[in-house]
Structure formats: C-alpha cells, structure tokens
Amino acid sequence: MINKISHAKVWTIVFSILSIAWIFPIVLVLVNSFKQKAFISTSTFSIPNAKTSAGFENYVDGIQKTDFFMSFLWTFIITVGAVVIILLCTSMCAWWIVRVNNKFSVAIYLLFLLNMIVPFQMVMFPLSRLADLSGLNTPWGLWLVYLGFGAGLPVFIFTGVIKSIPDEIEEAAMIDGANTFRIFFTIVVPMMRSSIISIAILETMWIWNDYLLPYLTLDMQRFKTISIAIQYLRGGYGTVDMGAMMACLVLAIIPIVIFFAVCQKYIIQGIAAGAVKG
Amino acid sequence: MLTMKGKAIRRWWPLFVLPTLISFLLGFITPLIQGMYLSFTSFTTVSDAVWVGLKNYRRALQDPEFLHAFWFTLLFTIVTTILVNILAFFVAYMFTKAMKGAKIFRSVFFMPNLIGGIILGYIWQLLLNGVLAHWNISLTYSATYGFWGMVILVCWQQIGYMMVIYIAGLQNVPNDLIEAAAVDGASSKQILYKITIPMMMPSITVCSFLTVTNGFKMFDQNLALTNGEPSNSSEMLALNIYNTFYGRAGFEGVGQAKAVIFLLVVAVIAIIQNRITTRKEVQA
C-alpha cells in the first residue's frame, strides 16, 4: 500500500516536470517577443534585460506590418461562417441520405467517402483557379469552398449517428402532423447534439489554422488570415523580422489559449467521441 | 422499400441536399476531375491545356527531388507514427490510473493541437535554432536536422490528440474483464498485453490511421520550419508538389501528375493500414 502511494507521487512529479517542459516552447516565444530583434537569435534562452529588452516595440511593429487585427477579423469571419454552414448543410444532407436511402443517396454518400482520402494537393491548382474565375476568392466565397471540400468527414460522421437513431420517433411525429422541417429541427438535431459539437470543434480547429487553402483562393490584396499574415513576415529569401514574428506568434496564440480555456471540456470530449465513432 | 416518411422527405431534396451538393461539385468534384485530366496535359493557365499522354508522369518519376521527397516522407511517417502512438498510449495509460492532477496534465499535453501548423513551425524554429546555435549551426544546416526537428515538432503536437483518443478507448475497456483476469492471477503486464491492448484495437486503428495520413499530408509545419532547406533536401511530398506548381514555370502538368501519384499513394496506404489494424480488432 505504501509502495503504491509513493509510486503515484513519483509519477505526479515526473508529469509535472514534463508538463512544464511541454509549455516551455510557448513561454520561450513569449519571452523573446520582448527582446530586440538582434538578440533573439543570439541569446534565445536568456531573460530580456535592460540592454536587450524592446518593451512592446515588437508588438507595435508586428501589428502594423501584418495588419494583425484585420487578419484576426477575417480569420474569425471565415471560420465562424464556414463552421455554421458546414454544420447546417451537412447534417441536413446526412439525414436525407440516411432516410431516403435510394440509389442516388448511396452514390453521393460514396463520393463523400472518397472526399475524405483525397489530399488537398490533388485539387489545389484547379480549385484556386476556379475560385478566382467564379468570384469565390472572398471570405464568404470561402465558406462554400470549405463546405464543398470539407463535406466528407461531417457527412460520414453524421450518417453514422443518424443510422443509430431509431426512426419510430420521427414516424410518430409525422403521423401527429409534424412536417419534415419540424421533425428535423425539433427531433433529429437535439438527438445529434453531441456529434454536432464534436464536428464543430474539429472543423473550427481545421479552418482557423488552415494556411494553404485560403492562401491559394483568397484575393491577397484584400484579405489575409492570421496564418497567411505570419507567413508573410518571412519575406523573400529567408529574411525574417524576428521581433515582429515573435510578437505575432504570441498574438496568434492568445485567442487559441482563451478558446481552449473556455471550452476545453467540450474540446476534449468532442475529439474523443468523434474518434471512437468514426 | 421506401417508407411513408422517406417519401415525404425525398421531395425536400432541394433544401436538404442541394446546398451541400452544389458546393461539393464546386469545391471537390469539378477540381478533382479537372485535376485528373490536367495531369495528362501540358498547361500554364488550365485553359491552354494540350494533351501529352503519360509524359508528365514520366517526368515526375524521373525527378530526383520528388523521389527524395517520397522516401523522406515515408521514413518520417514511419518514425512519427511509431513514436507518437507509443508515447500517447503510455501517457494515456498513466492518466487513466489514479494520479493527482491528471486533468491538468491532459489539458497541457493537448494544447499544442489547437495551434496552427505555420505557428508551430516558427515556435520550434526559434527553440531548435537557439539550441543548435551553441554549435554555430541551424536547422537548415542539413536535412537530418530538419527531419528530426519535424519529428520533435509532430510529437509535441500530436501526442496530446492521440492521448485523448486513447484515454476514451481505455475507459471503454470493461472493468470486470480486468478484474476477472486479476482474480485469476494475471500480472499487470499480462493484463496490459493480453486484455487492454487487444481491447484497444479500435482506438489504435483510428490513431495510427490519423498519424499515418497526417505524416503523409504534412505541409504547413514543413513550410514554416525548414521550407525544404538546404536545397530542397528536407522537402516533404506535399511541399514538393506545391513547389512544382508554383516554383517553376512550365511544370504545372508535372505537378498535377505528382498530385495524382500522391493521391494514389495516400489511398493505398489508408486501405492497407486499415485492413491490417481492423483485422486485429476483437470483441469483448
């Protein structure tokens, strides 16, 4: 018994140390964001002192150079809009596929399955051109592109969930005179709640952090996302403004940490539920 | 046979299916078919495509950088799949035992997943270059540094994600099974290898599938951490394809052929890998 307790204590200490090491890279970026450019690569691991400190200069510089708050706003608009549209459209589509269950619905279901294994590079070039030609190179155009390219996984997960819902409840509601809409929104959607949360989390993580798809399809003169803005700091031929870079990295991480702190319970549950069912 | 309800729902297809289907045609089917076609043509702007047959494929397969990127990616995927899964399983196993603060540790380990690949790349560039500066070298000194740099980055990023899936799987292993084995005198090692791991096969399938496809498709981290330096030797497949499209003029067709090969490789790996691990799944 005593042996067991000390065992648990040892592991707690080991994992405490590991956790600190795990956060260290982020802390290092934070520390360096307050150093002058020249000292970031020469004395990466030291705390800024009177000589090396830059105060908030890097932040002012980084925000100006990348127009950070505009990028933040565009990323936010793209992510929220796309996730809402994906959840609404794919859940409706999945219900229709399961309940109608004819040749057509099976055929499109198989296409959605195919969608899950096709890497983005396969459609990259034609898609970016199509987006330019058809005016989808705006944040709201991107909502549709994300719905189209990202439909596979949510349709797959939602159809699995809907198949496990007995349709007697829906039939009873129909006999009682509820129309298709009411059945879907007042009976089916509440029963899909946990999978909707899982998908919302997965899609938010994907779209918020996505770099290549918005980079290739958005009109760069007008819209930049956070990832694109940060990549812009690299500039040509590997010259990087390290000060502005560090500040922007910190600014990019802050909203993610807040988001995580607020809904970590749902995030962790959502990932687990999504994976076990998928 | 279509139920009465099925019939009622079917008429509503313009509302339930059409929005997704139109976007799907626009964002996936059309570019996919066009991409297939373009891989057999020579083009610079899509509309000027001229049929060249298998020439692009021949050029793709003769491109030493593409072949290098392929082996580099394969090796990278094997290393990260093994490392991430073993470490994530270990961490999950520890956290499902009674341990103080497991919840906090879990959140800490998971957090890197929410940070985007580009940002992760620059975070680790700072850290690893800071360490390597002691020897007056940097990550771009040789592809070996880039390789292990990316391995460390991916472990840091993905262990937390896979850990969450493994924890969920471990919680699904019925307790009475383990207790029965313990009563029969099985050691904790025997319980782990003969009961827990076989019962965990569904989670192992999902996690190894995810780590394999993540490894093969990795782009952002590669772009930010090394950008393929030195001289494209740390370039992974996805970045190689991207650079073929947008880096050299006149190679668009070759890039598209590479993308088709990439798709086939990813599909074959996904199918084989899924077959192998699902065969090992057992029922309680």
Side-chain angles (χ1 to χ4, degrees):
Chain A
M1 198 61 195
I2 290 165
N3 192 21
K4 249 191 186 157
I5 291 169
S6 62
H7 230 79
K9 256 192 192 153
V10 170
W11 282 115
T12 307
I13 293 165
V14 168
F15 275 98
S16 304
I17 296 165
L18 267 177
S19 296
I20 293 167
W22 214 256
I23 304 177
F24 178 72
I26 295 172
V27 175
L28 191 69
V29 171
L30 182 68
V31 168
N32 278 283
S33 70
F34 293 104
K35 278 185 210 159
Q36 288 170 37
K37 281 177 220 174
F39 296 100
I40 292 173
S41 45
T42 54
S43 51
T44 312
F45 294 103
S46 58
I47 303 286
N49 54 33
K51 195 178 124 220
T52 57
S53 168
F56 282 93
E57 202 182 286
N58 290 331
Y59 285 86
V60 177
D61 196 29
I63 289 168
Q64 278 173 352
K65 269 193 178 152
T66 58
D67 201 355
F68 191 86
F69 295 117
M70 269 328 272
S71 310
F72 181 85
L73 189 67
W74 288 128
T75 313
F76 187 81
I77 291 171
I78 291 168
T79 308
V80 172
V83 170
V84 168
I85 290 180
I86 286 175
L87 291 177
L88 184 71
C89 294
T90 58
S91 62
M92 288 169 82
C93 183
W95 187 59
W96 194 90
I97 287 176
V98 174
R99 295 301 186 225
V100 170
N101 196 20
N102 58 14
K103 271 187 192 144
F104 175 67
S105 75
V106 172
I108 57 175
Y109 177 72
L110 291 176
L111 283 175
F112 285 125
L113 284 189
L114 174 70
N115 175 233
M116 287 202 294
I117 56 165
V118 173
F120 180 66
Q121 275 70 22
M122 181 61 215
V123 299
M124 176 169 84
F125 199 87
L127 180 62
S128 61
R129 239 191 81 85
L130 190 75
D132 278 343
L133 289 179
S134 53
L136 291 171
N137 55 3
T138 58
W140 25 98
L142 217 53
W143 294 346
L144 292 185
V145 175
Y146 273 119
L147 171 61
F149 185 71
L153 180 76
V155 169
F156 175 69
I157 304 264
F158 286 147
T159 48
V161 172
I162 292 164
K163 272 179 198 156
S164 70
I165 300 175
D167 60 354
E168 281 84 2
I169 310 170
E170 295 163 34
E171 247 150 43
M174 205 186 108
I175 291 164
D176 289 346
N179 64 24
T180 307
F181 270 105
R182 270 193 68 179
I183 294 174
F184 183 73
F185 285 104
T186 60
I187 296 173
V188 181
V189 169
M191 286 198 282
M192 293 167 70
R193 192 172 158 261
S194 68
S195 59
I196 289 178
I197 294 172
S198 312
I199 294 296
I201 289 161
L202 286 176
E203 301 292 309
T204 306
M205 282 168 60
W206 169 44
I207 297 170
W208 181 274
N209 291 320
D210 199 14
Y211 166 73
L212 200 49
L213 198 152
Y215 175 71
L216 291 176
T217 46
L218 276 182
D219 178 356
M220 279 302 128
Q221 305 298 316
R222 293 155 67 202
F223 316 103
K224 284 194 188 82
T225 64
I226 294 174
S227 296
I228 295 169
I230 285 174
Q231 182 62 15
Y232 252 65
L233 283 176
R234 188 199 280 261
Y237 304 101
T239 48
V240 187
D241 180 344
M242 286 300 271
M245 175 68 90
M246 291 305 127
C248 285
L249 291 180
V250 173
L251 290 174
I253 296 169
I254 289 170
I256 294 169
V257 171
I258 294 172
F259 173 70
F260 184 50
V262 173
C263 32
Q264 60 162 302
K265 192 182 116 202
Y266 295 104
I267 293 172
I268 288 181
Q269 274 176 5
I271 303 283
V276 173
K277 276 177 198 125
Chain B
M1 221 211 55
L2 203 55
T3 57
M4 182 176 74
K5 185 165 65 81
K7 266 186 200 148
I9 297 166
R10 194 171 56 179
R11 332 183 252 125
W12 286 99
W13 64 271
L15 238 114
F16 278 78
V17 187
L18 211 55
T20 311
L21 203 58
I22 290 175
S23 313
F24 192 60
L25 286 173
L26 220 62
F28 180 68
I29 301 286
T30 314
L32 180 71
I33 293 170
Q34 202 174 21
M36 294 274 184
Y37 165 71
L38 286 174
S39 72
F40 298 102
T41 65
S42 168
F43 65 96
T44 49
T45 60
V46 176
S47 47
D48 62 351
V50 182
W51 187 266
V52 293
L54 288 172
K55 195 173 147 213
N56 290 330
Y57 287 88
R58 238 174 283 133
R59 280 170 78 187
L61 293 171
Q62 281 163 359
D63 177 358
E65 280 183 5
F66 180 63
L67 298 175
H68 173 79
F70 177 81
W71 293 114
F72 193 82
T73 308
L74 188 68
L75 191 63
F76 175 83
T77 306
I78 294 170
V79 171
T80 53
T81 301
I82 294 171
L83 276 178
V84 169
N85 280 288
I86 290 178
L87 294 172
F89 190 93
F90 169 73
V91 175
Y93 187 71
M94 293 310 300
F95 287 176
T96 45
K97 307 245 159 219
M99 185 203 277
K100 269 200 181 140
K103 266 201 177 138
I104 299 168
F105 297 148
R106 206 162 66 165
S107 303
V108 168
F109 279 90
F110 182 80
M111 210 190 50
N113 273 289
L114 292 157
I115 303 172
I118 294 283
I119 301 170
L120 290 174
Y122 287 116
I123 292 175
W124 279 93
Q125 198 183 48
L126 173 78
L127 177 55
L128 295 171
N129 275 339
V131 173
L132 290 172
H134 284 279
W135 293 277
N136 278 322
I137 46 175
S138 73
L139 269 172
T140 53
Y141 177 76
S142 95
T144 318
Y145 291 99
F147 182 86
W148 290 105
M150 283 190 284
V151 169
I152 294 171
L153 189 164
V154 163
C155 284
W156 187 71
Q157 181 191 3
Q158 293 185 7
I159 283 175
Y161 194 94
M162 303 308 152
M163 169 200 75
V164 166
I165 299 174
Y166 280 130
I167 288 176
L170 281 166
Q171 284 165 347
N172 281 338
V173 177
N175 242 331
D176 42 351
L177 213 63
I178 290 169
E179 273 163 25
V183 169
D184 289 347
S187 68
S188 56
K189 223 181 199 169
Q190 278 174 318
I191 293 176
L192 176 65
Y193 286 107
K194 299 268 152 95
I195 296 174
T196 311
I197 291 181
M199 290 296 293
M200 288 285 288
M201 279 324 281
S203 306
I204 295 172
T205 306
V206 171
C207 287
S208 50
F209 178 74
L210 287 173
T211 40
V212 167
T213 45
N214 286 347
F216 252 86
K217 292 182 186 173
M218 198 168 88
F219 179 83
D220 297 7
Q221 293 90 328
N222 192 194
L223 179 70
L225 194 72
T226 66
N227 194 18
E229 297 289 316
S231 54
N232 297 339
S233 61
S234 71
E235 203 177 51
M236 308 234 322
L237 268 179
L239 185 59
N240 178 274
I241 294 169
Y242 174 84
N243 285 336
T244 313
F245 270 122
Y246 297 100
R248 325 184 213 174
F251 277 74
E252 289 85 355
V254 182
Q256 194 58 56
K258 286 180 179 178
V260 175
I261 297 170
F262 185 40
L263 164 65
L264 293 176
V265 170
V266 171
V268 167
I269 289 175
I271 292 165
I272 293 175
Q273 197 267 343
N274 224 307
R275 281 260 167 90
I276 294 173
T277 40
T278 38
R279 206 186 293 148
K280 292 217 171 102
E281 284 179 17
V282 291
Q283 304 270 305

